[in-house]
């Protein structure tokens, strides 16, 4: 079947924009608190609502992908985001502001689930893994870009400038997508109910493995953004230093993805690459533990970023190989599952307030999962040989 493929720059832009939006919002929290005269805790509610609405959006848009198509679903989600961002910009009170931002997150979910579905439609095997490696690099640097853009806009014009910039950026992305985004939905596709797809996935051990690995890898990386600012504060370091460390993490993510592309070129087994990545994550946890009383604790975090760049492409590229007849619905359920794990994991990280323990827990659990998977794979090969 000859399916028109999405261009790599457009795929990167669509995958980056949800995380870019989220991290642009974070520096605006103080402006939002002051404008609406609410507490810091209330202002921070927006981020919680973002993740909840985003998870619901992943299920909705992923399912819609299999019903009306990838292109129309993506354009509808982008249009909803633009409308919601305008409503949020104009919101006269804090409650309406939160509702508007929740609607933004719901629309932004198309950037994740629909784009992944389009990539899985268009590519397979090594080609798909390479695309996800490039995507992992982009997603890895998007928090740095988001924090820089959001900080500058907030400093010069408050939260309204941040939302004005969101409206402009996503309008441009909508126009670009309207012109270039192809429809990749196969002509002959099963319209199984979401419940039947979920029932199949629940009984699939490979899906459980993928979900846990993706969730724990994300918790390891993003726990830094929630714990490190307080560690710097306790050490008497400038908050600006925390912002600069984002560049270090971005370099690690890019390096990990480039190494992964090279290893794929040499046809190294994906499970072996993931195993190496998890060893790096455990080493990182040990390094953070040893350096946590100094400002240099952020240096070992580079290894977490490298591990992230090595792991995610190999997990995403093999996640739904048995669900090609309903990629949208299966992708939606997969996304919902690992976003729930990320939410619970980050809550655990925040409650402990210990970055080293979080990294060691995530890295250790992932390492055990990889070893168990390899043992079961070898047992299956022995049984087939007998």
């Amino acid at each position: 079947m000859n399916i028109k493929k999405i261009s790599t720059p457009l795929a990167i832009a669509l995958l980056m924009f949800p995380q870019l939006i989220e991290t642009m919002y974070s520096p605006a929290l103080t402006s939002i608190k002051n404008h609406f005269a609410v507490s810091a805790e209330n202002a921070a509610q927006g981020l919680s609502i973002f993740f909840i609405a985003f998870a619901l959006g992943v299920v909705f848009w992923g399912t819609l992908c299999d019903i009306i198509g990838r292109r129309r679903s993506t354009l509808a989600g982008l249009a909803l985001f633009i409308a919601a961002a305008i409503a949020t910009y104009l919101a006269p009170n804090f409650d309406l502001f939160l509702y508007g931002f929740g609607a933004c997150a719901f629309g932004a979910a198309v950037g994740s689930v629909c784009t992944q579905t389009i990539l899985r439609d268009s590519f397979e095997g090594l080609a798909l893994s390479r695309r996800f490696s490039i995507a992992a690099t982009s997603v890895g640097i998007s928090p740095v870009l988001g924090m820089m853009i959001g900080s500058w806009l907030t400093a010069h014009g408050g939260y309204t400038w941040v939302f004005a910039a969101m409206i402009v950026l996503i309008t441009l992305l909508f126009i670009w997508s309207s012109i270039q985004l192809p429809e990749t939905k196969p002509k002959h596709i099963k319209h199984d109910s979401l419940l039947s797809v979920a029932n199949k996935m629940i009984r699939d051990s490979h899906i459980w493995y993928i979900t846990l690995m993706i969730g724990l890898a994300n918790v390891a990386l993003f726990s830094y953004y929630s714990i490190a600012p307080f560690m710097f504060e306790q050490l008497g370091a400038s908050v600006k230093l925390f912002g600069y460390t984002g560049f270090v993490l971005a370099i690690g993510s890019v390096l990990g993805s480039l190494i992964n592309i090279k290893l794929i070129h040499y046809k190294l087994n994906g499970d072996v690459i993931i195993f190496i990545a998890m060893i790096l994550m455990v080493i990182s946890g040990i390094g953070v533990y040893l350096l946590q009383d100094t400002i240099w604790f952020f240096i070992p975090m580079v290894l977490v970023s490298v591990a992230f760049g090595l792991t995610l492409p190999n997990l995403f590229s093999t996640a739904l190989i048995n669900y090609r007849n309903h990629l949208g619905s299966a992708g939606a359920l997969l996304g919902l599952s690992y976003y729930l794990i990320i939410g619970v994991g980050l809550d655990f990280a925040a409650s402990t307030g210990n970055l080293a323990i979080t990294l060691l827990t995530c890295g250790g659990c992932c390492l055990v999962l990889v070893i168990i998977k390899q043992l079961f794979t070898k047992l299956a090969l022995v049984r087939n040989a007998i």
Side-chain angles (χ1 to χ4, degrees):
M1 178 171 48
N2 185 22
I3 293 177
K4 187 177 179 182
K5 295 176 172 57
I6 186 173
S7 71
T8 300
L10 179 56
I12 289 172
L14 286 167
L15 285 168
M16 281 183 70
F17 105 81
Q19 198 167 341
L20 188 69
I21 294 304
E22 177 211 336
T23 49
M24 282 175 65
Y25 176 84
S26 296
L29 284 172
T30 53
S31 172
I32 293 165
K33 182 189 74 170
N34 295 331
H35 179 84
F36 290 107
V38 295
S39 67
E41 291 78 9
N42 285 336
Q45 276 185 302
L47 288 175
S48 301
I49 290 172
F50 184 93
F51 282 109
I52 294 169
F54 192 89
L56 294 173
V58 164
V59 176
F60 178 81
W61 298 113
T63 305
L64 202 65
C65 270
D66 284 343
I67 299 173
I68 68 171
R70 291 36 166 157
R71 175 183 163 85
R72 283 192 284 180
S73 296
T74 302
L75 293 176
L78 292 173
L80 174 61
F81 179 94
I82 295 166
I86 293 171
T88 308
Y89 176 89
L90 299 172
N93 59 63
F94 187 63
D95 287 339
L96 289 176
F97 174 87
L98 287 180
Y99 289 134
F101 191 55
C104 287
F106 189 87
V110 297
S112 175
V113 66
C114 290
T115 311
Q116 287 185 41
T117 303
I118 290 168
L119 286 171
R120 291 188 179 106
D121 286 333
S122 305
F123 305 98
E124 293 183 25
L126 293 178
L128 180 59
S129 189
R130 288 192 195 98
R131 265 63 184 189
F132 275 122
S133 291
I134 297 169
T137 304
S138 307
V139 170
I141 65 174
S142 57
V144 181
L145 292 175
M147 284 193 294
M148 288 176 60
I149 296 170
S151 297
W152 188 90
L153 291 168
T154 302
H156 288 81
Y159 84 92
T160 54
W161 276 36
V162 173
F163 277 90
M166 289 182 188
I167 294 165
V168 173
L169 287 172
I170 308 311
T171 299
L172 293 173
L173 183 58
F174 177 84
I175 294 169
W176 185 8
S177 299
S178 299
I179 297 169
Q180 287 197 356
L181 188 67
E183 177 55 72
T184 62
K185 177 188 170 187
K187 291 182 179 179
H188 304 289
I189 188 170
K190 292 181 180 178
H191 294 288
D192 295 335
S193 69
L194 193 65
L195 188 62
S196 65
V197 177
N199 184 50
K200 180 181 176 182
M201 294 178 76
I202 287 172
R203 292 181 283 109
D204 189 338
S205 60
H206 179 68
I207 290 295
W208 281 101
Y209 167 76
I210 294 291
T211 301
L212 288 168
M213 291 291 290
I214 292 174
L216 290 170
N218 274 277
V219 171
L221 181 64
F222 290 104
S223 61
Y224 177 80
Y225 293 100
S226 61
I227 297 175
F230 302 104
M231 295 176 69
F232 281 113
E233 184 180 47
Q234 290 172 0
L235 293 168
S238 168
V239 177
K240 289 183 179 179
L241 180 59
F242 167 66
Y244 294 144
T245 63
F247 288 100
V248 178
L249 269 66
I251 290 169
S253 181
V254 172
L255 182 61
S257 297
L258 293 175
I259 293 172
N260 187 63
I261 292 171
K262 201 72 174 177
L263 294 176
I264 291 170
H265 177 73
Y266 288 114
K267 298 183 179 179
L268 188 65
N269 185 276
D271 287 336
V272 175
I273 297 173
I274 294 172
F275 180 75
I276 294 169
M278 292 308 105
I279 291 175
L280 292 177
M281 191 177 291
V282 172
I283 293 172
S284 173
I286 295 170
V288 171
Y289 177 79
L290 294 174
L291 297 172
Q292 62 186 342
D293 294 325
T294 75
I295 62 170
W296 305 109
F297 74 89
F298 71 89
I299 297 295
M301 279 298 301
V302 174
L303 295 180
V304 175
S305 294
V306 172
F308 191 84
L310 288 170
T311 304
L312 269 293
N314 290 290
L315 292 172
F316 277 122
S317 61
T318 62
L320 301 176
I321 53 176
N322 297 322
Y323 298 86
R324 298 202 65 84
N325 287 327
H326 26 65
L327 283 174
S329 301
L333 291 168
L334 177 68
L336 175 64
S337 301
Y338 66 70
Y339 272 113
L340 289 174
I341 291 173
I342 293 169
V344 172
L346 289 177
D347 184 64
F348 164 80
S351 64
T352 62
N354 192 311
L355 182 59
I357 295 299
T358 302
L359 296 178
L360 289 169
T361 301
C362 292
C365 289
C366 286
L367 197 55
V368 170
L369 286 169
V370 174
I371 293 170
I372 291 173
K373 181 179 185 292
Q374 290 180 344
L375 287 174
F376 273 96
T377 301
K378 288 179 180 178
L379 284 173
L381 290 173
V382 171
R383 286 174 184 171
N384 290 334
I386 296 172

